[in-house]
C-alpha cells in the first residue's frame, strides 16, 4: 500500500485480498436481502447478518468500529445511514430498508449498501430507489483512469438533480481496501476541490445517499442513526470499485467464489 497525502494505491497482493473480502461482502448483502421479511426486528436482521458474515470466515468490518455496536447498519425509511438493530423496531410491509455491510478477511475489507422494499412500491418511493441506484452507476462510469474525484461527484449529482432529490452532503464515499475508511473522500455533489486524479490501484467506495425531500439531516439520541430532518424517505446504494487501466472493476458485483 502506497499512502500519498490524499489517496492510497494498493499493491497487486493487497488487491487480491481486497477482491476476496469484497466478494464476501457482496455475498452477505445478497443473502440478507433475500432473507429479510416484514415482521422481523432490526435486531434479528443484525444478528442474522452476523451469522452470515461468520459463515464466510470473515468478521464484521463495522462491529466496534469507532464504537459502533452492530454487525451492519440497518436504516428504515427516513433513516439515512448508521441505523442500529434493536429488538423493538419491527420491519413493516410498507417500509424501505437500507443495509450497509462490511466484511473483513485476511487483510482486506469490503463495503457495500443497498436499499429495498417489499412488493409493489409507491411511485415516489420507486423513483427514489431507481434514481439513487442510477446515480451510483453514473458515478462508477465516471471513475476512469485520468479522471478526477470531482468527475464522479458531478455524475452522481447530475443524476440526482434530474429527479430533484436531496443530496446528503455530510456523508460521502471514500477510499477503502485495507482499512474500512481510507483517503480520498468521494462527495456526491460537486465541490470546489477537484480531488486526486484517478490512477490504477485506487479502491473507492461510491455511495450516493439521496432523499425525496430536503438534503438536511439530523442525528438521533443513540449517537449513531442519521435521518432526514424533514422526515422524507432516504435511499443508499454503494459499490466498491477498483480503478484499472480500462473500465473500473466493480468489486462488489456478486461472482462465483
Amino acid at each position: 500500500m502506497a499512502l500519498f497525502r490524499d489517496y492510497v494505491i494498493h499493491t497487486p497482493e493487497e488487491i487480491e485480498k481486497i477482491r476476496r473480502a469484497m466478494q464476501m461482502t457482496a455475498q452477505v448483502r445478497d443473502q440478507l436481502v433475500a432473507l429479510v421479511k416484514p415482521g422481523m426486528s432490526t435486531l434479528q436482521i443484525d444478528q442474522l447478518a452476523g451469522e452470515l458474515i461468520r459463515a464466510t470466515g470473515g468478521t464484521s468490518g463495522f462491529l466496534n468500529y469507532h464504537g459502533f455496536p452492530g454487525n451492519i447498519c440497518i436504516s428504515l425509511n427516513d433513516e439515512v445511514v448508521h441505523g442500529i438493530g434493536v429488538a423493538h423496531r419491527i420491519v413493516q410491509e410498507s417500509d424501505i430498508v437500507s443495509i450497509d455491510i462490511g466484511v473483513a478477511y485476511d487483510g482486506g475489507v469490503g463495503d457495500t449498501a443497498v436499499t429495498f422494499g417489499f412488493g409493489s412500491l409507491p411511485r415516489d418511493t420507486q423513483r427514489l430507489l431507481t434514481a439513487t441506484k442510477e446515480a451510483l452507476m453514473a458515478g462508477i462510469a465516471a471513475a476512469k483512469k485520468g479522471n478526477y474525484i470531482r468527475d464522479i461527484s458531478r455524475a452522481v449529482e447530475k443524476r440526482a438533480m434530474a429527479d430533484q432529490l436531496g443530496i446528503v452532503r455530510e456523508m460521502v464515499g471514500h477510499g477503502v481496501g485495507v482499512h474500512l475508511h481510507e483517503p480520498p473522500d468521494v462527495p456526491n455533489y460537486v465541490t470546489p476541490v477537484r480531488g486526486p486524479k484517478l490512477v490504477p490501484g485506487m479502491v473507492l467506495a461510491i455511495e450516493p445517499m439521496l432523499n425525496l425531500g430536503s438534503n438536511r439531516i439530523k442525528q438521533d439520541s443513540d449517537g449513531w442513526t442519521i435521518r432526514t430532518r424533514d422526515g422524507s424517505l432516504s435511499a443508499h446504494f454503494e459499490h466498491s470499485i477498483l480503478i484499472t487501466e480500462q473500465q473500473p472493476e466493480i468489486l462488489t458485483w456478486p461472482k462465483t467464489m
Side-chain angles (χ1 to χ4, degrees):
M1 180 175 75
L3 176 60
F4 298 89
R5 184 175 65 85
D6 53 2
Y7 64 97
V8 175
I9 300 298
H10 292 285
T11 67
E13 294 77 17
E14 287 172 338
I15 289 170
E16 287 309 305
K17 292 182 177 183
I18 293 166
R19 278 198 181 100
R20 178 70 178 178
M22 293 289 184
Q23 279 303 292
M24 289 175 162
T25 309
Q27 173 184 309
V28 172
R29 177 200 61 212
D30 293 348
Q31 289 174 331
L32 201 56
V33 169
L35 292 170
V36 171
K37 298 291 186 293
M40 298 175 70
S41 73
T42 57
L43 179 59
Q44 286 176 305
I45 296 169
D46 183 80
Q47 291 171 336
L48 176 57
E51 293 172 6
L52 294 172
I53 290 169
R54 288 189 291 274
T56 68
T59 59
S60 168
F62 293 179
L63 183 61
N64 297 322
Y65 184 75
H66 295 300
F68 185 74
N71 290 294
I72 63 171
C73 299
I74 310 168
S75 309
L76 307 184
N77 301 323
D78 65 327
E79 296 170 352
V80 179
V81 72
H82 299 165
I84 302 168
V86 291
H88 66 268
R89 190 74 188 278
I90 307 301
V91 175
Q92 306 296 317
E93 186 81 31
S94 58
D95 288 338
I96 58 171
V97 181
S98 295
I99 54 173
D100 191 358
I101 301 171
V103 177
Y105 179 78
D106 189 31
V109 63
D111 196 6
T112 186
V114 64
T115 302
F116 59 96
F118 308 96
S120 180
L121 299 177
R123 186 173 181 177
D124 271 352
T125 304
Q126 187 59 63
R127 178 171 66 87
L128 171 67
L129 267 59
T130 297
T132 309
K133 186 174 184 179
E134 289 180 356
L136 168 61
M137 300 311 295
I140 292 172
K144 298 177 181 178
K145 174 188 173 183
N147 279 354
Y148 291 83
I149 291 294
R150 191 164 57 189
D151 293 306
I152 299 174
S153 303
R154 182 179 293 107
V156 172
E157 181 182 69
K158 181 179 179 181
R159 179 60 190 90
M161 295 303 293
D163 269 82
Q164 298 182 313
L165 298 174
I167 303 171
V168 174
R169 301 174 76 87
E170 295 86 346
M171 306 290 170
V172 299
H174 52 88
V176 65
V178 173
H179 305 287
L180 184 60
H181 289 93
E182 299 173 352
D185 286 346
V186 186
N188 295 308
Y189 58 96
V190 176
T191 73
V193 180
R194 184 172 63 176
K197 190 174 185 178
L198 303 181
V199 297
M202 295 174 69
V203 180
L204 305 174
I206 301 175
E207 48 179 328
M209 300 175 209
L210 306 181
N211 306 334
L212 267 179
S214 165
N215 66 345
R216 298 183 66 196
I217 59 174
K218 61 182 179 179
Q219 187 176 66
D220 281 0
S221 59
D222 62 16
W224 288 103
T225 305
I226 302 295
R227 67 176 69 241
T228 60
R229 188 171 288 275
D230 62 5
S232 62
L233 295 180
S234 186
H236 178 200
F237 284 83
E238 175 183 21
H239 274 307
S240 294
I241 66 164
L242 171 68
I243 305 301
T244 74
E245 293 287 349
Q246 288 81 39
Q247 298 298 313
E249 178 185 347
I250 303 178
L251 299 170
T252 43
W253 274 134
K255 301 182 180 71
T256 302
M257 296 179 64

